[in-house]
Amino acid sequence: MSWSHVIETHDLLDTPTADGASVAEYLRRHGAADGEVAVETVQGEGGSTDFVRVTIPGTDGASSGGSAPTLGILGRLGGLGARPEQIGFVSDGDGALTAVAAAAKLLDMRRRGDALPGDVVVATHIDPDAPTQPHDPVPFMGSVVDQDVSNRHEVLPAMDAILSVDTTKGNRVCNHHGIAITPAVVDGWIVRVPETLLDIVSRTTGRAPVVMPLTMQDITPYGNGVYHVNSILQPATATAAPVVGVAIVTETAVAGSATGATDLRSVETAVRFAVETAKDYGRGIAHFVDAEEVRRLQDLYGSMSHLRGAGAPAGS
């Protein structure tokens, strides 16, 4: 269970003084070595945010020359808070909360002797006073940095597969309370939902798995003028590695800028799902895509990698 990590992390982040340094210190207390944690402050048009990344080496991970694959766990969000417009932790902060709590749990596991085979790289950013922005059906949190900036700091070439965790409550297409996963997205293709990840959802929730629907629009970069359900699949625009979204969802549409909306039970479930995926992926039990099937699609219909780019106006 990950309850203590979720509660500690929520207390850590639910403050106007939350920053990357405090998160890095928290992770060190759980066993991260100095060289395993990186913090970088990035200035945007509306202010600054701290990107935090922690690498948890595996017993047979790439960082030590091993063959086990590397999993990326990304906490996606605009901000932890919308101060001064809102007071307190906002719904949009659940992605960062999940990522940091999962990192603390994995570090504690390693410290106690339950090291995973593969490396796990966890990344997110910490901003307690981000802007809001209009969105239908409810307002979103904005960000002081663009999505491509977030991708540059969070999506690493070393990641063989990525879980992208994001609050996904501001919609009417996934009316469920808890977590849902998306189909896998790989180099512009939306492919089948991974069966092995559905197995992990079932065992961590005790319920039938719920799948968050995606459209082609959702896997294109922000800023192209088309509707996106949210930023959950934006990491897929920066890598050819497979990405699966872990959506923290609700039965009603909840604004990303809403306070008092974080359900720690859903967050704890997302943390356990991420940890269990890291266990199974590093051991070769869980798979994000069928590589042969992806190659077959590409052979039959060509590359879809152009969907990862900004696109071009019609007629150009």
Side-chain angles (χ1 to χ4, degrees), residues 61 111 310:
R111 183 168 53 87

Side-chain angles (χ1 to χ4, degrees), residues 31-44:
D34 286 343
E36 295 172 350
V37 184
V39 179
E40 185 172 358
T41 300
V42 177
Q43 189 72 33

Side-chain angles (χ1 to χ4, degrees), residues 111-199:
R111 183 168 53 87
R112 295 168 178 171
D114 272 338
L116 274 56
D119 296 348
V120 180
V121 182
V122 182
T124 191
H125 75 98
I126 307 298
D127 186 353
D129 48 15
T132 62
Q133 66 182 47
H135 189 267
D136 183 48
V138 289
F140 266 4
M141 287 293 295
S143 176
V144 298
V145 294
D146 293 334
Q147 287 293 326
D148 63 334
V149 175
S150 293
N151 284 340
R152 287 200 299 272
H153 287 85
E154 295 175 358
V155 181
L156 304 184
M159 295 173 178
D160 296 303
I162 293 173
L163 290 180
S164 175
V165 188
D166 202 343
T167 306
T168 313
K169 305 173 185 175
N171 67 83
R172 295 192 175 102
V173 297
C174 191
N175 307 128
H176 167 71
H177 187 273
I179 66 168
I181 64 170
T182 71
V185 177
V186 54
D187 205 17
W189 281 94
I190 301 175
V191 296
R192 65 182 295 186
V193 184
E195 293 288 337
T196 50
L197 297 193
L198 292 175
D199 292 340

